[in-house]
Amino acid sequence: MKKRTRLAAMALSVLLLGSTAGCAGSSPAPARLGGSEGPEAPSATEGSRAGPEPSAATRSAPAGGFTLVAGGDVLPHASVIRQAKADAGGEGYDFKPMLAGVRPVVAQADLAICHMETVYGEAGGPFTGYPDFKSPPQIAEALAATGYDSCSTASNHTLDDGAAGLGRTLDTLDRAGIKHAGSARTAAEAGRPAWLTAGSAKVAQLAYTYGTNGYPMPEGQPWAVSLIDEEKIVADARAARREGADVVVVSLHWGTEWQTAPDELQLTLGRSLTASQTGGRCDIDLILGTHAHVPQAYEKVNGTWIVYGMGDQIAGPMINYENRADPRGNQGSIGRFTFAPPAGRGERWQVRKAEFIPQWMDVTAGRVVNLPEVLSRSPGRDDYEKAQQAIRQAVLSRGAAGQGLTMGR
């Protein structure tokens, strides 16, 4: 399978600094990157969902503070594209109904970040799913309507349609009013983070991927896609801080597909990045992971939250490496972090509240479901409850509950 090629190359491209001084708290244990995209299952209808009692969501941030939410991979398989066409009445494509179930969570946040895994095709198509994606550009409009402010665009699919697809995607996000980080049309753009404002904070988003499925960088554009390199990530974070960033968020497309546990490289790189500091202040304030297509753990490392993998927000029925339909490919979480201003000059912004919200892409209905919200109104759905329990188990698998992570809705 073409998508399984890059483990060795990725291991070579990640340069570990081996930082030993932590910003705060304790370090985890180690583990690796890489993986491959699973194809869409032909017509699987299975799904599971779930529902232990959700914690009440606190929408208000401290004075001057803000809430940040982040969602998982937006991966429009062929069936997702067909659903959007049906939702548009056969004329064009409408992805807004698909995302309506999570819109309240996303829109009520002060800052919302998505991961746009694929590139957009030309306005009239053709549009394709796995293995080389070209998605309808109407997705950008739906992401904006849902409340997303910025998207990471560095993934193993960023070069599926070469420089043209990359440029088309960023142009479309620009028109929709969505910032982006991780791919670039010019060298100058590649050198800048996505600059965002939330509460009284200036936020910089940086984004990187482990690779591009073997596709080379466009000729003369070695900067087109940001690849994971620890030295570069730290340098970029420090540069953003010098330019006035109060909070630095790093989006990483990493991990091993279909593996719930974060791999060795995720753990090692995460530990090293969260230990990096300048003048006693952490260089990075939050790490958001994508790519594995299954929910992965949240963990506070060196005083900084890492989401190893949020799973998929939008995807068709997925089949795993055993060639079996796997409902985990439609499970995910939305992370929500409430930041408070620093106590003193030169200190870091602190996450005062950390939450996860289990979500499930109901492939039968073609809708993204906020599981705790739906279960609070309609308890007893066995499929929902099973999925929520599976997501909860994955998210809390590295002790995040003891570090203060709660389930929201």
Side-chain angles (χ1 to χ4, degrees), residues 1 4 36-42 130 256-260 292 294 318-329:
M1 207 186 259
R4 296 191 188 190
S36 111
E37 215 78 57
E40 177 180 17
Y130 177 88
T256 301
E257 288 186 349
W258 298 109
Q259 182 172 305
T260 299
V294 295
M318 299 276 280
I319 61 174
N320 61 26
Y321 289 157
E322 283 71 52
N323 205 32
R324 295 185 187 137
D326 195 328
R328 295 179 304 153

Side-chain angles (χ1 to χ4, degrees), residues 162-199:
L166 183 158
R168 196 184 303 125
T169 302
L170 302 188
D171 290 345
T172 304
L173 291 171
D174 285 345
R175 286 193 295 272
I178 297 177
K179 302 287 185 67
H180 42 80
S183 59
R185 293 158 291 196
T186 66
E189 185 174 49
R192 296 192 299 265
W195 286 108
L196 305 153
T197 301

Side-chain angles (χ1 to χ4, degrees), residues 59-327:
R59 309 293 188 203
S60 56
F66 66 95
T67 56
L68 180 152
V69 302
D73 304 48
V74 176
L75 185 65
H77 286 100
S79 66
V80 172
I81 296 171
R82 289 194 297 270
Q83 180 66 54
K85 190 173 184 66
D87 286 334
E91 295 279 337
Y93 301 86
D94 187 357
F95 293 86
K96 291 188 288 293
M98 198 174 292
L99 286 161
V102 293
R103 186 181 184 279
V105 171
V106 176
Q108 288 179 32
D110 297 299
L111 177 59
I113 292 174
C114 82
H115 176 60
M116 189 64 245
E117 178 153 6
T118 63
V119 294
Y120 301 149
E122 296 181 4
F127 304 119
T128 56
Y130 177 88
D132 291 319
F133 290 83
K134 280 195 289 186
S135 305
Q138 289 87 344
I139 295 173
E141 179 185 337
L143 292 170
T146 303
Y148 282 111
D149 302 293
S150 184
C151 291
S152 56
T153 56
S155 83
N156 53 315
H157 288 290
T158 305
L159 294 178
D160 277 6
D161 196 30
L166 183 158
R168 196 184 303 125
T169 302
L170 302 188
D171 290 345
T172 304
L173 291 171
D174 285 345
R175 286 193 295 272
I178 297 177
K179 302 287 185 67
H180 42 80
S183 59
R185 293 158 291 196
T186 66
E189 185 174 49
R192 296 192 299 265
W195 286 108
L196 305 153
T197 301
S200 62
K202 184 177 181 181
V203 180
Q205 182 198 6
L206 302 165
Y208 309 84
T209 179
Y210 71 88
T212 57
N213 283 347
Y215 288 119
M217 294 294 170
E219 187 175 353
Q221 301 177 30
W223 34 259
V225 185
S226 297
L227 299 178
I228 292 175
D229 177 312
E230 185 183 329
E231 290 184 350
K232 177 171 170 48
I233 295 170
V234 170
D236 290 348
R238 289 174 175 168
R241 194 74 87 193
R242 287 193 299 271
E243 291 178 50
D246 297 302
V247 174
V248 176
V249 178
V250 173
S251 298
L252 295 176
H253 199 68
W254 62 350
T256 301
E257 288 186 349
W258 298 109
Q259 182 172 305
T260 299
D263 64 27
E264 184 177 352
L265 188 52
Q266 285 175 286
L267 293 173
T268 304
L269 181 59
R271 180 173 56 196
S272 190
L273 289 175
T274 57
S276 176
Q277 57 180 286
T278 301
R281 183 181 180 185
C282 296
D283 293 319
I284 294 164
D285 298 294
L286 179 66
I287 294 175
L288 302 171
T290 56
H291 176 61
H293 302 301
V294 295
Q296 292 188 317
Y298 289 41
E299 186 176 23
K300 187 186 275 189
V301 182
N302 295 316
T304 298
W305 281 103
I306 300 174
V307 182
Y308 291 108
M310 290 175 282
D312 289 334
Q313 178 149 94
I314 287 180
M318 299 276 280
I319 61 174
N320 61 26
Y321 289 157
E322 283 71 52
N323 205 32
R324 295 185 187 137
D326 195 328

